[in-house]
Amino acid sequence: MAAKKERDVVKEYSVKQTVEKLRRLADCLESGKPFRIQIAGERINVPAGAVFNIEHEREGNSEEVEFQFKWENKSD
């Protein structure tokens, strides 16, 4: 399997889309299932055992809260 290209993508969603994604995410977390999402044309599979963290950043008048999942892919 070819190595995946590095990328750093930010995708904005409407409130309705965000709610739908968060509901699906909550269902997967509660049931212990992986979460699948497509971001900017790439399908992402977040494994059930991924580490979840929340990050807060502040710079001047700007603030940001990020909900993150981190995991390592198995190499073949």
Side-chain angles (χ1 to χ4, degrees):
M1 179 178 190
K4 293 182 181 181
K5 292 181 183 177
E6 290 188 15
R7 72 184 220 158
D8 188 356
V9 175
V10 175
K11 177 77 172 130
E12 293 186 7
Y13 294 100
S14 68
V15 171
K16 181 180 178 182
Q17 291 172 312
T18 301
V19 168
E20 290 170 352
K21 289 175 189 333
L22 289 174
R23 282 199 178 115
R24 282 194 315 105
L25 173 59
D27 289 344
C28 288
L29 290 171
E30 287 180 332
S31 65
K33 295 180 180 176
F35 177 65
R36 293 174 179 87
I37 186 168
Q38 185 166 328
I39 303 170
E42 184 173 330
R43 292 177 194 259
I44 309 295
N45 292 307
V46 180
V51 175
F52 175 70
N53 66 59
I54 300 173
E55 182 177 326
H56 175 242
E57 297 177 20
R58 179 183 301 124
E59 187 175 320
N61 292 332
S62 179
E63 297 201 41
E64 181 176 330
V65 173
E66 294 181 9
F67 293 78
Q68 298 182 40
F69 286 90
K70 292 187 179 186
W71 68 94
E72 298 219 7
N73 294 314
K74 296 177 184 176
S75 56
D76 296 331

